[in-house]
Amino acid sequence: MQDEVILIERNGRVGLVTLNRPKVMNALNDELMDRLGAALLDLDADDAIGAIVIAGSAKAFAAGADIAAMADWGYSDVYNSNFITRNWETIRRVRKPVIAAVAGLALGGGCELALACDIIVAGRSAKFGLPEIKLGLLPGAGGTQRLPRAIGKAKAMDMCLSARTLDADEADRYGLVARVVDDERLREETMRLASTIASFSAPALMALKECVNRAFEQPLSEGTLFERRELHARFAAADAREGMKAFLDKRKPVFVHR
Ligand code: CAA
């Protein structure tokens, strides 16, 4: 178990995936990314799971793509193996909410992995950065696109061009993370948040996530039209019937995730 590059646990309706390459600060090699992608798709397909948490260690969420693995690659290697797209795009296919619990370093691909999640909860030790420029590279797992959308062009350009890192408070102020908590409470608070989310209707959550993501993909008029169609569709769902009835009956709803 200790040799596994990721650890998978199920806790109630929450799936927890922990990155586990401690000797290299959870550097993201193909094996880890392939296994992470497969675990996420498994959890996504599991009716008993309503939300997913990705965590690292106390020292590092992940220090980026594995530089030792990449150092000798040439253009044909990355092009032919479809580097990045091959295993990174899987994260985008996950329909259930995914939360990153970030303590320590989230650098390069580690920061991009967190950015690909729906919510980031940061421990006070968290540090976010896209230092690829120091290697003569550039962020290639969505960083140049997701970071400006998250914190705006000025801060994103500063981080990308100067390799500056943000601490948890700055990341909070700039809107990169949703919440900051003490490191000792990070796992517990993130699991609590995930459990709350997972207690809601799974199809409503999936539709809601899709709606919010549309805000970054298309004009406002198209986005609001999409949102309205999704709202209308909720009226065909048993869970919406139950949710509204439970409110009127002054009781907790019992969702069947249908
Ligand atoms: N890839 C491979 N190995 C890494 C790594 C990475 N991204 N980051 C850290 N490691 C390894 C180190 O080589 C070291 O291994 P050894 O003990 O065998 O020497 C071990 O992890 C511990 O690291 P350090 O001794 O360097 O620890 P530190 O506390 O002094 O520094 C660090 C930690 C700031 C993370 C530093 O290791 C570092 O700068 N790492 C590289 C970060 C980086 O550049 N990330 C971007 C990668 S490129 C990318 O992600 C591109 C993309 O979009 C696809």
Side-chain angles (χ1 to χ4, degrees), residues 23-25 27 63-67 84 105 107-109 112 131-132 135 139-140:
K23 288 188 186 136
V24 287
M25 304 232 165
D66 190 323
I67 300 167
I84 303 286
L105 298 166
L107 299 179
E112 292 171 299
E132 285 88 341
L135 304 169

Side-chain angles (χ1 to χ4, degrees), residues 224-236:
T224 49
L225 178 62
F226 182 82
E227 175 197 73
R228 211 158 311 134
R229 292 283 177 264
E230 287 297 322
L231 171 66
H232 291 167
R234 297 311 309 147
F235 283 81

Side-chain angles (χ1 to χ4, degrees), residues 45 124 126 171 187 220 232:
R124 295 206 186 278
R187 195 61 76 100
L220 183 63
H232 291 167

Side-chain angles (χ1 to χ4, degrees), residues 36-256:
L36 174 64
L40 293 176
L41 292 182
D42 263 7
L43 292 166
D44 201 36
D46 185 341
D47 286 343
I49 294 295
I52 301 167
V53 172
I54 303 178
S57 69
K59 262 194 183 161
F61 179 70
D66 190 323
I67 300 167
M70 297 191 299
D72 293 330
W73 287 347
Y75 175 77
S76 305
D77 300 312
V78 290
Y79 186 78
N80 293 346
S81 71
N82 210 3
F83 176 51
I84 303 286
T85 311
R86 185 170 71 90
N87 43 29
W88 281 80
E89 290 295 308
T90 310
I91 300 158
R92 271 163 58 96
R93 286 166 47 201
V94 176
R95 297 169 75 204
K96 290 174 182 163
V98 182
I99 306 171
V102 178
L105 298 166
L107 299 179
C111 183
E112 292 171 299
L113 176 59
L115 281 165
C117 295
D118 304 309
I119 297 177
I120 303 175
V121 181
R124 295 206 186 278
S125 67
K127 282 205 164 29
F128 298 87
L130 293 176
E132 285 88 341
I133 194 67
K134 292 200 312 203
L135 304 169
L137 298 174
L138 56 82
T144 66
Q145 303 305 300
R146 290 200 179 96
L147 191 63
R149 281 169 169 80
I151 65 173
K153 178 181 166 184
K155 302 289 183 197
M157 279 289 194
D158 185 4
M159 285 177 71
C160 289
L161 299 179
S162 74
R164 172 185 177 213
T165 55
L166 298 185
D167 63 26
D169 284 340
E170 288 173 301
D172 192 21
R173 270 206 313 281
Y174 302 161
L176 178 60
V177 305
R179 305 178 187 197
V180 178
V181 299
D182 289 338
D183 277 21
E184 314 78 71
R185 300 181 51 77
L186 177 64
R187 195 61 76 100
E188 183 193 335
E189 290 290 332
T190 310
M191 291 302 283
R192 195 201 307 266
L193 168 64
S195 298
T196 300
I197 291 172
S199 72
F200 300 134
S201 165
L205 288 167
M206 292 191 286
L208 183 45
K209 169 170 167 169
E210 210 181 339
C211 286
V212 175
N213 281 332
R214 287 277 165 144
F216 300 97
E217 306 275 354
Q218 59 188 36
L220 183 63
S221 54
E222 293 298 320
T224 49
L225 178 62
F226 182 82
E227 175 197 73
R228 211 158 311 134
R229 292 283 177 264
E230 287 297 322
L231 171 66
H232 291 167
R234 297 311 309 147
F235 283 81
D239 283 344
R241 195 107 298 119
E242 166 64 7
M244 289 187 279
K245 190 158 189 324
F247 174 80
L248 295 174
D249 294 347
K250 300 190 187 303
R251 61 175 174 81
K252 268 188 85 163
V254 181
F255 292 125
V256 292

